[in-house]
Amino acid sequence: MNKAIATLEEHCIVCGGGETGRHIISELLRSNYTVVLIEQDVKITDQCRMAGGLYCLTGDATDDKCLVAAGIERAAGIIISLPSDKDTLYVTIAARMLNKQIRIISSMVDPKLEPKLKKAGADRVVSPNFIGALRMASEMIRPTVVEFLDTMLRSKQGNLRIHHLVVTANSPMADKRISESGLKDRYSLLVIGYKKPAEEIEFNPNPSEILSPGTTLIVMGEIPDLDRVKRDI
């Protein structure tokens, strides 16, 4: 297994294979990400291996050697979903030291820890309790919207996702109008928003909007179509 992991590049590391970690892994795999799980509990790693589709390391994520074995220097991102805020903080610091470019998503239990995690190198900090509370309120306020999003994410038949695309200077879409980009006609994608550097996100953009280099598009479509446009853009 370690030899196979040593060949990986641009993969995603997940620290913690508990209930939250397993949902994270499931969504990453459905979105065609290569995933390496680091988990201390042998029973959990064995269960994940049986499920298939990912690489597993039985070990302690707070051990730098374990992060290196997971390919931290070559990984595109790491999601830290550990039960202890103290361990999460340590792994965040270690991950940033081992890879200056990696995208780090850290979970937290205590909201007071958020500034420390960001200072330690986390790109985003997520509170499962806060997200869960918003979800419960949304179930009361806007149940049909929640049903739509659940269907999009959980349907076994559908692979509909919302994703972002960055228009580079070398992209065939650069300096073209949205209507000329081929996103709808060629890739069957719906553009629901865009963001230009140093500006706020704009929703429901005009089809005549020019896609200047550096523009980030928010699009919705099937996973295979999203994969195609990411290769082409």
Side-chain angles (χ1 to χ4, degrees):
M1 180 63 72
N2 286 6
K3 290 182 179 179
I5 294 173
T7 66
L8 299 179
E9 293 183 355
E10 296 297 309
H11 56 290
C12 185
I13 299 170
V14 176
C15 299
E19 287 297 325
T20 301
R22 275 176 271 187
H23 289 303
I24 292 168
I25 291 167
S26 176
E27 175 58 20
L28 289 172
L29 292 177
R30 287 195 66 184
S31 298
N32 295 328
Y33 278 77
T34 301
V35 181
V36 177
L37 167 66
I38 302 175
E39 168 59 50
Q40 293 190 82
D41 191 325
V42 177
K43 291 182 179 179
I44 292 177
T45 53
D46 286 346
Q47 289 173 358
C48 290
R49 285 193 184 97
M50 290 175 63
L54 76 154
Y55 300 85
C56 298
L57 281 177
T58 303
D60 185 354
T62 63
D63 184 344
D64 289 6
K65 292 180 180 178
C66 199
L67 292 174
V68 171
I72 186 78
E73 300 103 325
R74 305 179 307 279
I78 181 170
I79 300 177
I80 306 165
S81 178
L82 300 172
S84 165
D85 280 348
K86 180 180 178 181
D87 289 345
T88 297
L89 180 59
Y90 179 85
V91 177
T92 300
I93 295 171
R96 182 56 70 207
M97 289 179 64
L98 292 167
N99 186 334
K100 301 298 183 184
Q101 305 302 320
I102 195 170
R103 181 167 177 79
I104 301 174
I105 311 298
S106 301
S107 67
M108 66 176 180
V109 177
D110 184 356
K112 295 178 183 177
L113 188 66
E114 182 174 1
K116 293 181 180 179
L117 283 167
K118 288 185 175 179
K119 192 171 183 179
D123 293 287
R124 289 290 185 271
V125 179
V126 177
S127 167
N129 290 336
F130 178 70
I131 297 298
L134 289 181
R135 165 60 187 258
M136 294 178 74
S138 294
E139 287 280 12
M140 179 62 68
I141 300 167
R142 51 188 79 86
T144 304
V145 174
V146 174
E147 182 182 1
F148 167 77
L149 293 173
D150 273 355
T151 301
M152 181 179 71
L153 290 174
R154 297 179 184 177
S155 171
K156 294 182 179 179
Q157 289 77 32
N159 289 308
L160 196 65
R161 292 294 186 275
I162 296 174
H163 212 284
H164 74 274
L165 304 170
V166 179
V167 179
T168 64
N170 297 324
S171 169
M173 300 178 191
D175 297 318
K176 291 184 178 179
R177 293 182 174 86
I178 291 176
S179 59
E180 301 169 338
S181 66
L183 288 168
K184 181 179 180 181
D185 299 332
R186 184 177 178 185
Y187 301 101
S188 301
L189 299 179
L190 175 65
V191 180
I192 58 178
Y194 74 98
K195 182 181 184 299
K196 294 190 176 182
E199 294 184 12
E200 297 292 324
I201 293 177
E202 297 286 341
F203 297 97
N204 192 25
N206 192 307
S208 63
E209 185 68 37
I210 300 295
L211 299 177
S212 56
T215 299
T216 299
L217 294 165
I218 311 299
V219 298
M220 183 167 65
E222 298 284 337
I223 291 175
D225 294 323
L226 290 167
D227 287 341
R228 283 197 303 122
V229 75
K230 283 188 284 185
R231 289 194 298 267
D232 294 347
I233 198 171

